[in-house]
Amino acid sequence: DQQVKQNSPSLSVQEGRISILNCDYTNSMFDYFLWYKKYPAEGPTFLISISSIKDKNEDGRFTVFLNKSAKHLSLHIVPSQPGDSAVYFCAASPDRGSTLGRLYFGRGTQLTVWP
Amino acid sequence: EADIYQTPRYLVIGTGKKITLECSQTMGHDKMYWYQQDPGMELHLIHYSYGVNSTEKGDLSSESTVSRIRTEHFPLTLESARPSHTSQYLCASSEWGRGVEDYTFGSGTRLTVV
C-alpha cells in the first residue's frame, strides 16, 4: 500500500506563474519530508526538505509547506521557469538520524513549464 | 561532477543471462541503497546496506542479490535475467547531517531483458 501519494501525475504551468505540487502521506510516524527533482536519464537530485517540527521551509524560489493534521505537504515554485520542467518526487522517512535512512517515495508529478 | 557512479547506463540483454549492475561512491557513506522504478511508479527499495558486510532486503521483493565488501562499492546481481526484471535501477548513498538525511543518487541503469 502506498504510504506517500502524489495524485497528480502531471502539471502544466506558464512561465512566471506559481507551480503547486501536492503530496499526501498515510504514516503518522514519518518524521521528515523531502522533494526531489528528476530529469530524464538522470538520478533524482535533492531539492528541499522539511522536518515535522516545522510547517514551512523556504529556499529561494522553492517553498515547502507541511500540514501534519491533514498529512499533506506541498511544494510551491515561484516564479516557475522552463528549466523547472522535470519529474518531482515527494519522499518521507520515519527515521531521523537513525541507523537506516530509508525513504518512501511517491510516484512523481511531471511538471511542464511553458513559455 | 558525480559522486556516485552507476554502470552501465543502459543494458539490453537476453533472458537467462547473468548480469551485474555496478554502483560506486566516493563520499565514504556507510548507507547505500538500491531502488527500482518502473515508468510512472514510485521508487521501491529493493536492497540496502548499513556498511561493509551488511546487506538487507527492502520492501519490494526482488530476485536480485547484492554485496558490500568495500564501503564504496555496492553491486547488484541478477543470476538469470527475465523480462519481468525490465526496469530502471537507481543506486543511492546517504549520511545524516545538518538535520537531514543527505541522499545522493546515481544516474541509474535502465535494464531491458528481451
Side-chain angles (χ1 to χ4, degrees), chain A residues 32 41 96 99 102 107, chain B residues 9 31 42 59 96 101 103:
Chain A
Y32 70 96
R96 191 196 311 179
T99 304
R102 66 145 309 155
R107 294 184 175 184
Chain B
R9 291 290 302 275
K31 300 172 204 172
E42 61 267 44
D59 300 326
W96 177 257
E101 190 73 31
Y103 255 69

Side-chain angles (χ1 to χ4, degrees), chain B residues 8-40:
Chain B
R9 291 290 302 275
Y10 303 92
L11 179 62
V12 180
I13 200 162
T15 299
K17 299 290 186 182
K18 177 180 179 179
I19 57 171
T20 297
L21 308 185
E22 300 289 348
C23 176
S24 296
Q25 51 102 357
T26 60
M27 297 165 285
H29 289 170
D30 286 327
K31 300 172 204 172
M32 294 191 74
Y33 316 83
W34 277 100
Y35 284 88
Q36 182 177 342
Q37 187 200 12
D38 294 322

